[in-house]
């Protein structure tokens, strides 16, 4: 399955962590990420996001740009592994964009491909993953 593994865009600091929202810069990053995904030959049909506010806001921008539907999955919350990602995608048809956190995105990419492309806020890596 083609997976677009995305890190949420720039978020404001604060507590509780679960309620941190995107900054103005983060909203722009999320919009640009959505536009990049929409321009791909196979844009995502579905966006699966961590339930944290900043990830959901990033997912909403991706969905707005691509026309994909959105689903949240607690398995993509901070601490997610490649196994959690696979479980969250089981039974779905790709391509799918996922929105998660660091260092999870790097660790998932490394486990799935053997390389970490680096994940600044709003970054994305394409993976072919057995779900």
């Amino acid at each position: 399955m083609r997976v677009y593994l995305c890190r949420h865009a720039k978020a404001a600091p604060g507590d509780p962590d679960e309620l941190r929202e995107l900054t103005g810069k983060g909203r722009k990053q999320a919009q640009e990420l959505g536009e990049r995904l929409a321009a791909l030959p196979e844009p995502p049909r579905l966006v699966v996001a961590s339930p944290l506010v900043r990830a959901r806001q990033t997912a909403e921008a991706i969905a707005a740009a691509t026309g994909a539907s959105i689903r949240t999955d607690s398995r993509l919350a901070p601490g997610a592994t490649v196994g959690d990602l696979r479980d969250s995608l089981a039974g779905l048809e790709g391509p799918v964009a996922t929105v998660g956190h660091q260092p999870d995105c790097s660790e998932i990419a490394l486990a799935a491909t053997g390389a970490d492309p680096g994940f600044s806020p709003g970054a994305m890596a394409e993976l072919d993953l057995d779900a």
Side-chain angles (χ1 to χ4, degrees):
M1 174 189 301
R2 173 60 45 105
V3 177
Y4 304 113
L5 181 66
C6 305
R7 179 182 177 190
H8 66 77
K10 178 77 175 158
D15 283 314
D17 184 57
E18 296 80 10
L19 300 180
R20 292 174 44 216
E21 296 191 9
L22 296 182
T23 63
K25 179 179 180 178
R27 286 189 292 277
K28 183 171 175 42
Q29 287 173 336
Q31 180 182 358
E32 290 170 352
L33 175 59
E35 290 168 359
R36 281 197 317 270
L37 290 166
L40 292 171
E42 293 185 83
R45 300 177 190 187
L46 175 67
V47 184
V48 182
S50 158
L52 278 63
V53 170
R54 59 193 180 271
R56 291 193 333 255
Q57 289 175 323
T58 302
E60 289 165 2
I62 293 169
T66 62
S69 55
I70 300 174
R71 170 186 303 185
T72 59
D73 193 313
S74 61
R75 291 173 286 200
L76 298 184
T81 65
V82 71
D84 294 325
L85 178 66
R86 283 190 173 102
D87 290 346
S88 73
L89 300 177
L92 300 178
E93 290 189 31
V96 175
T98 63
V99 182
H101 306 273
Q102 272 298 81
D104 307 342
C105 289
S106 288
E107 291 171 359
I108 289 167
L110 187 59
T113 69
D116 173 8
F119 284 92
S120 58
M124 181 272 293
E126 295 183 39
L127 309 176
D128 288 311
L129 192 68
D130 295 328

